[in-house]
Amino acid sequence: MNIEDYLLKNIGKLPAPMVAWVEKRMKKIPSIREKIDKEYDDMMAGLESSLKPYRDSYPTFTKLPAKGRDREEILHEMESLREREESVWKDGFVSGAVYHGDESHIEFLNRAYALNSQSNPLHSDVFPSTTKFEAEIVAMTANMLNGDTACGTVCSGGTEGIMLAMKTYRDWARDTKGIAHPEMIAPITAHAAFDKASQYFGIKMVKVPVDANSRADVNAVRRAINRNTVVIVGSAPSFPHGAIDPIEEMSELALQHNIGVHTDACLGGFVLPWAEKLGYNVPGFDFRLPGVTSISVDTHKYGYAAKGTSVILYRSKELRHYQYYTISDWPGGLYFSPTFAGSRPGALSAACWAALTSIGEQGYLDATKQILETADYIKTEIKKIPELEIIGDPLFVIAFKSDSLNIYKVLEAMGHHKWSLNGLHKPSCMHIALTLRHAQPGVKERFIADLKTAIDHVKGHPDEKGHMAPIYGMAATIPMRGLVSDMLKKYLDLIFKV
Ligand SMILES: *Cc1c(COP(=O)(O)O)cnc(C)c1O
């Protein structure tokens, strides 16, 4: 065995910082670089056909058409594309993604969008209707989360809300406490958007582990707090395993240290309040906990609005001020914006307002009941499958792993039955985020039947390696995380390839 192969084989036994060091140097060795590049190219070529299915059957543009195309022809083409793609989510084969999806609801949102398609909240003087819609979206969401004096803004999605909140804590701590090297504490299960905020805004990320039920380890949080801590993050619930962190204890800790607690209720904000009313056990997560200072909640998930809106809430106006941007000496005039964007799609806020007010409390209660009953069935049935184990005690995002089978092979086998579920790692598992699509008659039964068939298939074909399963497996276990990151960047390149 030559030295390169020896290193590749044994690198996993080294401590993480040494792996990073070796990796960096190995990638500079031309022969290794070549090997790696070749593997990337092969992998991307394999993915290209499934990611770019329309090259042969539809016109492709790499420059503007010399003369504009016929409008009807364009719309016809889009209709045909939608037709090809819609059954997989409409028939309930997808985890998350489309949370409502009823035809009449979609038609209604589209009409609300169309009526407002020229609106831009940046021009609040020209479009005061959008200002009204946004103020009321924030007020209704704050009220739902028991923040009767809370405030906030509408933003483009959960990621933006989280990033805005982290920037807000950084600036608040610098201004009120003189903290120059801010740190945030988050469980490893917190959404990737917190890491993104850490990178973008120079806030040190301090990760804490989770317990066997995938809830943040409060003792580790306590130990991680120091003079530079600005905020503690908890999820309600977390994206990977649907676990609700011990935010009650986080709230207590934060009050003792005069720091913030951000509840990431992107996923659960429009489910948990209704689950509680339906009698499910929902630990505290909202503004009733005195230490919770901000909450992100996605209207474009279980709020059933179209994609592109979310709400970021703060306990106080003082905190919200640290989110705003203002400039008073720009030749372009007095300029101010509440979020990262300048111009924004007022039509999306209008459609969001239409969703919230047309569904109402009773509608959300009914929707939550349907989803949680579907979840109860699926949890009960998975518990009867000896090969599988549910992680923690989730409400509506159900993650499961297997000690006896390669779970990524099960995931791939589910794909052959049309299912589009999420593969996760640390630990290796898969999940389904249940939506109203899964509450349609027959879907939950089909999910369990297909899961059993998939497990039988994997057990019956131990030699089958699969196509995606090895990629998941490698991505989950390879110690050289830089290589995995490079691979993801190549994947993004592929997405933007015509
Ligand atoms: C979806 C999600 C986010 C991020 O939301 P986007 O709308 O995709 O930007 C953040 N946190 C949790 C728990 C989520 O499920």
Side-chain angles (χ1 to χ4, degrees):
M1 190 187 287
N2 66 30
I3 178 77
E4 292 157 15
D5 289 338
Y6 177 82
L7 273 173
L8 277 170
K9 214 169 151 56
N10 291 286
I11 194 163
K13 293 169 192 160
L14 299 173
M18 285 175 74
V19 172
W21 187 89
V22 173
E23 180 185 357
K24 214 168 160 183
R25 267 138 200 92
M26 276 181 37
K27 281 200 299 193
K28 293 210 172 113
I29 302 173
S31 61
I32 294 197
R33 186 73 256 174
E34 262 167 44
K35 245 188 224 173
I36 292 171
D37 285 343
K38 167 99 179 53
E39 279 195 23
Y40 282 145
D41 290 346
D42 292 349
M43 199 185 290
M44 292 305 143
L47 293 172
E48 196 158 342
S49 58
S50 61
L51 201 57
K52 306 281 169 183
Y54 300 131
R55 281 176 177 163
D56 299 331
S57 38
Y58 290 82
T60 299
F61 298 92
T62 54
K63 59 184 239 206
L64 290 170
K67 213 166 140 276
R69 302 172 72 206
D70 180 59
R71 287 175 178 168
E72 284 312 311
E73 187 186 306
I74 293 173
L75 293 173
H76 182 74
E77 217 167 274
M78 287 180 173
E79 274 164 12
S80 131
L81 289 166
R82 181 183 68 173
E83 220 158 86
R84 281 178 167 221
E85 293 174 3
E86 108 186 317
S87 94
V88 63
W89 61 261
K90 212 163 222 185
D91 299 340
F93 285 101
V94 182
S95 169
V98 177
Y99 291 76
H100 193 298
D102 276 3
E103 197 75 63
S104 68
H105 178 68
I106 295 174
E107 284 297 323
F108 170 64
L109 296 191
N110 290 349
R111 283 176 63 190
Y113 184 97
L115 286 169
N116 294 276
S117 70
Q118 301 309 303
S119 155
N120 179 357
L122 188 67
H123 303 290
S124 48
D125 51 341
V126 185
F127 302 107
S129 56
T130 311
T131 312
K132 166 187 155 65
F133 296 143
E134 294 203 335
E136 292 177 16
I137 291 166
V138 171
M140 288 187 277
T141 311
N143 172 266
M144 181 179 70
L145 298 175
N146 295 294
D148 289 334
T149 60
C151 59
T153 68
V154 173
C155 56
S156 64
T159 299
E160 188 184 4
I162 286 166
M163 295 183 70
L164 284 166
M166 296 305 108
K167 183 208 86 81
T168 296
Y169 286 111
R170 182 195 69 178
D171 294 354
W172 164 77
R174 185 163 53 203
D175 188 42
T176 62
K177 306 196 205 184
I179 291 177
H181 302 285
E183 299 184 9
M184 61 171 114
I185 301 170
I188 54 170
T189 47
H191 194 272
F194 292 98
D195 276 282
K196 206 170 177 180
S198 154
Q199 279 194 33
Y200 277 35
F201 304 130
I203 306 167
K204 183 179 170 191
M205 168 61 87
V206 181
K207 292 261 176 89
V208 294
V210 293
D211 65 16
N213 287 318
S214 196
R215 303 175 76 227
D217 177 344
V218 179
N219 287 322
V221 172
R222 182 180 294 114
R223 286 193 300 272
I225 297 174
N226 65 30
R227 287 198 321 272
N228 288 326
T229 307
V230 298
V231 61
I232 303 170
V233 172
S235 306
S238 67
F239 172 82
H241 312 130
I244 301 175
D245 283 319
I247 299 172
E248 280 150 347
E249 286 93 331
M250 290 175 170
S251 161
E252 288 303 311
L253 284 172
L255 288 174
Q256 286 165 23
H257 292 89
N258 182 30
I259 55 181
V261 170
H262 179 86
T263 296
D264 179 8
C266 281
L267 209 45
F270 274 88
V271 176
L272 300 183
W274 314 109
E276 188 183 335
K277 289 201 167 64
L278 290 165
Y280 284 83
N281 174 29
V282 177
F285 72 99
D286 66 14
F287 285 116
R288 280 171 291 183
L289 300 177
V292 169
T293 42
S294 58
I295 304 180
S296 49
V297 47
D298 279 348
T299 40
H300 72 189
K301 284 182 179 158
Y302 294 95
Y304 309 125
K307 277 284 177 273
T309 65
S310 181
V311 176
I312 175 68
L313 297 170
Y314 297 100
R315 179 175 288 280
S316 72
K317 289 203 174 66
E318 185 213 353
L319 207 48
R320 181 172 62 174
H321 275 195
Y322 289 101
Q323 178 184 304
Y324 292 162
Y325 176 76
T326 60
I327 179 166
S328 53
D329 57 358
W330 180 42
L334 294 178
Y335 186 96
F336 46 93
S337 64
T339 61
F340 294 139
S343 290
R344 292 188 296 120
L348 286 180
S349 294
C352 174
W353 184 88
L356 266 56
T357 53
S358 67
I359 294 170
E361 293 193 343
Q362 191 60 48
Y364 286 109
L365 200 64
D366 292 345
T368 302
K369 185 162 184 282
Q370 288 184 51
I371 290 170
L372 293 180
E373 281 172 5
T374 306
D376 288 341
Y377 172 87
I378 286 179
K379 283 184 280 186
T380 305
E381 293 303 312
I382 290 180
K383 282 177 190 159
K384 292 182 198 159
I385 302 177
E387 289 84 2
L388 300 181
E389 187 193 335
I390 293 176
I391 297 177
D393 183 20
L395 272 175
F396 58 95
V397 178
I398 303 164
F400 45 95
K401 56 185 179 176
S402 176
D403 286 338
S404 54
L405 298 174
N406 178 340
I407 198 73
Y408 301 131
K409 287 189 181 177
V410 178
L411 177 69
E412 183 159 356
M414 284 297 271
H416 295 146
H417 294 275
K418 212 172 156 177
W419 288 93
S420 174
L421 307 171
N422 301 73
L424 318 170
H425 54 211
K426 297 171 185 285
S428 295
C429 64
M430 60 195 269
H431 88 192
I432 181 166
L434 294 167
T435 69
L436 282 174
R437 295 288 89 204
H438 305 112
Q440 299 177 91
V443 175
K444 59 182 186 294
E445 291 84 1
R446 187 179 64 205
F447 175 77
I448 293 298
D450 288 346
L451 193 55
K452 287 177 178 165
T453 311
I455 288 170
D456 286 343
H457 179 87
V458 173
K459 284 166 76 177
H461 300 78
D463 298 330
E464 211 174 83
K465 275 171 87 181
H467 183 62
M468 285 307 290
I471 298 182
Y472 272 112
M474 187 197 79
T477 55
I478 187 172
M480 292 171 286
R481 306 315 292 172
L483 291 186
V484 180
S485 286
D486 290 350
M487 183 178 83
L488 298 178
K489 284 175 185 162
K490 295 262 183 184
Y491 189 80
L492 284 173
D493 287 343
L494 180 58
I495 283 178
F496 281 95
K497 195 168 157 189
V498 175

PDB file of all heavy atoms in Angstrom, residues 157-159 162 191 237-239 264 266-267 298 300-301, ligand 1:
ATOM      1  N   GLY A 157     -38.054  34.117   5.010  1.00  0.00           N
ATOM      2  CA  GLY A 157     -38.052  32.699   5.346  1.00  0.00           C
ATOM      3  C   GLY A 157     -37.390  32.503   6.699  1.00  0.00           C
ATOM      4  O   GLY A 157     -36.878  33.456   7.298  1.00  0.00           O
ATOM      5  N   GLY A 158     -37.391  31.263   7.160  1.00  0.00           N
ATOM      6  CA  GLY A 158     -36.828  30.977   8.473  1.00  0.00           C
ATOM      7  C   GLY A 158     -35.361  31.347   8.562  1.00  0.00           C
ATOM      8  O   GLY A 158     -34.893  31.889   9.570  1.00  0.00           O
ATOM      9  N   THR A 159     -34.621  31.058   7.506  1.00  0.00           N
ATOM     10  CA  THR A 159     -33.191  31.362   7.523  1.00  0.00           C
ATOM     11  C   THR A 159     -32.955  32.854   7.711  1.00  0.00           C
ATOM     12  O   THR A 159     -32.128  33.256   8.536  1.00  0.00           O
ATOM     13  CB  THR A 159     -32.536  30.874   6.212  1.00  0.00           C
ATOM     14  OG1 THR A 159     -32.719  29.462   6.118  1.00  0.00           O
ATOM     15  CG2 THR A 159     -31.054  31.208   6.176  1.00  0.00           C
ATOM     16  N   ILE A 162     -33.773  33.881  11.351  1.00  0.00           N
ATOM     17  CA  ILE A 162     -32.735  33.439  12.286  1.00  0.00           C
ATOM     18  C   ILE A 162     -31.497  34.321  12.146  1.00  0.00           C
ATOM     19  O   ILE A 162     -30.907  34.769  13.142  1.00  0.00           O
ATOM     20  CB  ILE A 162     -32.399  31.957  12.026  1.00  0.00           C
ATOM     21  CG1 ILE A 162     -33.538  31.074  12.543  1.00  0.00           C
ATOM     22  CG2 ILE A 162     -31.065  31.566  12.669  1.00  0.00           C
ATOM     23  CD1 ILE A 162     -33.484  29.631  12.063  1.00  0.00           C
ATOM     24  N   HIS A 191     -30.865  24.456  13.621  1.00  0.00           N
ATOM     25  CA  HIS A 191     -30.858  24.549  12.160  1.00  0.00           C
ATOM     26  C   HIS A 191     -29.545  25.147  11.626  1.00  0.00           C
ATOM     27  O   HIS A 191     -28.925  25.984  12.279  1.00  0.00           O
ATOM     28  CB  HIS A 191     -32.034  25.416  11.713  1.00  0.00           C
ATOM     29  CG  HIS A 191     -32.324  25.306  10.248  1.00  0.00           C
ATOM     30  ND1 HIS A 191     -31.706  26.094   9.313  1.00  0.00           N
ATOM     31  CD2 HIS A 191     -33.155  24.480   9.558  1.00  0.00           C
ATOM     32  CE1 HIS A 191     -32.150  25.772   8.108  1.00  0.00           C
ATOM     33  NE2 HIS A 191     -33.037  24.792   8.231  1.00  0.00           N
ATOM     34  N   PRO A 237     -40.070  22.530  17.224  1.00  0.00           N
ATOM     35  CA  PRO A 237     -39.058  21.538  17.538  1.00  0.00           C
ATOM     36  C   PRO A 237     -37.905  21.649  16.547  1.00  0.00           C
ATOM     37  O   PRO A 237     -37.935  22.452  15.645  1.00  0.00           O
ATOM     38  CB  PRO A 237     -39.818  20.217  17.311  1.00  0.00           C
ATOM     39  CG  PRO A 237     -40.704  20.521  16.142  1.00  0.00           C
ATOM     40  CD  PRO A 237     -41.039  21.992  16.233  1.00  0.00           C
ATOM     41  N   SER A 238     -36.900  20.750  16.724  1.00  0.00           N
ATOM     42  CA  SER A 238     -35.731  20.755  15.853  1.00  0.00           C
ATOM     43  C   SER A 238     -36.068  20.135  14.506  1.00  0.00           C
ATOM     44  O   SER A 238     -36.934  19.254  14.411  1.00  0.00           O
ATOM     45  CB  SER A 238     -34.602  19.958  16.506  1.00  0.00           C
ATOM     46  OG  SER A 238     -34.943  18.587  16.587  1.00  0.00           O
ATOM     47  N   PHE A 239     -35.363  20.591  13.475  1.00  0.00           N
ATOM     48  CA  PHE A 239     -35.573  20.024  12.139  1.00  0.00           C
ATOM     49  C   PHE A 239     -35.208  18.539  12.083  1.00  0.00           C
ATOM     50  O   PHE A 239     -35.999  17.743  11.567  1.00  0.00           O
ATOM     51  CB  PHE A 239     -34.763  20.820  11.098  1.00  0.00           C
ATOM     52  CG  PHE A 239     -34.783  20.189   9.742  1.00  0.00           C
ATOM     53  CD1 PHE A 239     -35.857  20.387   8.884  1.00  0.00           C
ATOM     54  CD2 PHE A 239     -33.755  19.357   9.323  1.00  0.00           C
ATOM     55  CE1 PHE A 239     -35.894  19.786   7.633  1.00  0.00           C
ATOM     56  CE2 PHE A 239     -33.787  18.748   8.077  1.00  0.00           C
ATOM     57  CZ  PHE A 239     -34.857  18.961   7.231  1.00  0.00           C
ATOM     58  N   ASP A 264     -36.312  28.798  18.081  1.00  0.00           N
ATOM     59  CA  ASP A 264     -36.530  28.558  16.661  1.00  0.00           C
ATOM     60  C   ASP A 264     -37.804  27.731  16.510  1.00  0.00           C
ATOM     61  O   ASP A 264     -37.786  26.505  16.605  1.00  0.00           O
ATOM     62  CB  ASP A 264     -35.333  27.829  16.047  1.00  0.00           C
ATOM     63  CG  ASP A 264     -35.558  27.548  14.572  1.00  0.00           C
ATOM     64  OD1 ASP A 264     -36.559  28.063  14.017  1.00  0.00           O
ATOM     65  OD2 ASP A 264     -34.753  26.818  13.971  1.00  0.00           O
ATOM     66  N   CYS A 266     -39.587  27.911  13.761  1.00  0.00           N
ATOM     67  CA  CYS A 266     -39.857  27.942  12.316  1.00  0.00           C
ATOM     68  C   CYS A 266     -40.804  26.818  11.944  1.00  0.00           C
ATOM     69  O   CYS A 266     -41.765  26.995  11.218  1.00  0.00           O
ATOM     70  CB  CYS A 266     -38.549  27.786  11.533  1.00  0.00           C
ATOM     71  SG  CYS A 266     -37.626  29.329  11.464  1.00  0.00           S
ATOM     72  N   LEU A 267     -40.517  25.644  12.475  1.00  0.00           N
ATOM     73  CA  LEU A 267     -41.281  24.455  12.150  1.00  0.00           C
ATOM     74  C   LEU A 267     -42.556  24.361  12.996  1.00  0.00           C
ATOM     75  O   LEU A 267     -43.618  24.032  12.501  1.00  0.00           O
ATOM     76  CB  LEU A 267     -40.381  23.245  12.424  1.00  0.00           C
ATOM     77  CG  LEU A 267     -40.539  21.961  11.632  1.00  0.00           C
ATOM     78  CD1 LEU A 267     -40.685  22.224  10.159  1.00  0.00           C
ATOM     79  CD2 LEU A 267     -39.320  21.075  11.894  1.00  0.00           C
ATOM     80  N   ASP A 298     -42.231  30.252  10.874  1.00  0.00           N
ATOM     81  CA  ASP A 298     -42.414  30.276   9.423  1.00  0.00           C
ATOM     82  C   ASP A 298     -43.886  30.243   9.026  1.00  0.00           C
ATOM     83  O   ASP A 298     -44.550  29.210   9.168  1.00  0.00           O
ATOM     84  CB  ASP A 298     -41.711  29.070   8.778  1.00  0.00           C
ATOM     85  CG  ASP A 298     -40.223  29.283   8.603  1.00  0.00           C
ATOM     86  OD1 ASP A 298     -39.763  30.430   8.761  1.00  0.00           O
ATOM     87  OD2 ASP A 298     -39.520  28.299   8.286  1.00  0.00           O
ATOM     88  N   HIS A 300     -44.565  30.316   5.972  1.00  0.00           N
ATOM     89  CA  HIS A 300     -44.570  29.525   4.738  1.00  0.00           C
ATOM     90  C   HIS A 300     -44.396  28.020   4.965  1.00  0.00           C
ATOM     91  O   HIS A 300     -44.265  27.261   4.012  1.00  0.00           O
ATOM     92  CB  HIS A 300     -43.577  30.079   3.703  1.00  0.00           C
ATOM     93  CG  HIS A 300     -42.115  29.872   4.009  1.00  0.00           C
ATOM     94  ND1 HIS A 300     -41.139  30.480   3.251  1.00  0.00           N
ATOM     95  CD2 HIS A 300     -41.458  29.150   4.932  1.00  0.00           C
ATOM     96  CE1 HIS A 300     -39.953  30.123   3.710  1.00  0.00           C
ATOM     97  NE2 HIS A 300     -40.116  29.325   4.722  1.00  0.00           N
ATOM     98  N   LYS A 301     -44.412  27.592   6.227  1.00  0.00           N
ATOM     99  CA  LYS A 301     -44.520  26.152   6.489  1.00  0.00           C
ATOM    100  C   LYS A 301     -45.946  25.879   6.977  1.00  0.00           C
ATOM    101  O   LYS A 301     -46.863  25.919   6.187  1.00  0.00           O
ATOM    102  CB  LYS A 301     -43.452  25.713   7.487  1.00  0.00           C
ATOM    103  CG  LYS A 301     -42.066  25.620   6.833  1.00  0.00           C
ATOM    104  CD  LYS A 301     -41.002  25.146   7.789  1.00  0.00           C
ATOM    105  CE  LYS A 301     -39.659  25.055   7.082  1.00  0.00           C
ATOM    106  NZ  LYS A 301     -38.540  25.122   8.040  1.00  0.00           N
TER     107      LYS A 301
HETATM  108  C1  LIG B   1     -37.230  25.148   7.921  1.00  0.00           C
HETATM  109  C2  LIG B   1     -36.541  25.480   9.170  1.00  0.00           C
HETATM  110  C3  LIG B   1     -35.703  26.598   9.265  1.00  0.00           C
HETATM  111  C4  LIG B   1     -35.287  27.429   8.079  1.00  0.00           C
HETATM  112  O1  LIG B   1     -36.318  27.852   7.331  1.00  0.00           O
HETATM  113  P1  LIG B   1     -36.245  28.247   5.782  1.00  0.00           P
HETATM  114  O2  LIG B   1     -37.606  28.776   5.617  1.00  0.00           O
HETATM  115  O3  LIG B   1     -35.970  27.004   5.007  1.00  0.00           O
HETATM  116  O4  LIG B   1     -35.206  29.279   5.587  1.00  0.00           O
HETATM  117  C5  LIG B   1     -35.172  26.874  10.493  1.00  0.00           C
HETATM  118  N1  LIG B   1     -35.406  26.103  11.557  1.00  0.00           N
HETATM  119  C6  LIG B   1     -36.183  25.011  11.493  1.00  0.00           C
HETATM  120  C7  LIG B   1     -36.402  24.191  12.727  1.00  0.00           C
HETATM  121  C8  LIG B   1     -36.757  24.652  10.298  1.00  0.00           C
HETATM  122  O5  LIG B   1     -37.501  23.545  10.217  1.00  0.00           O
END
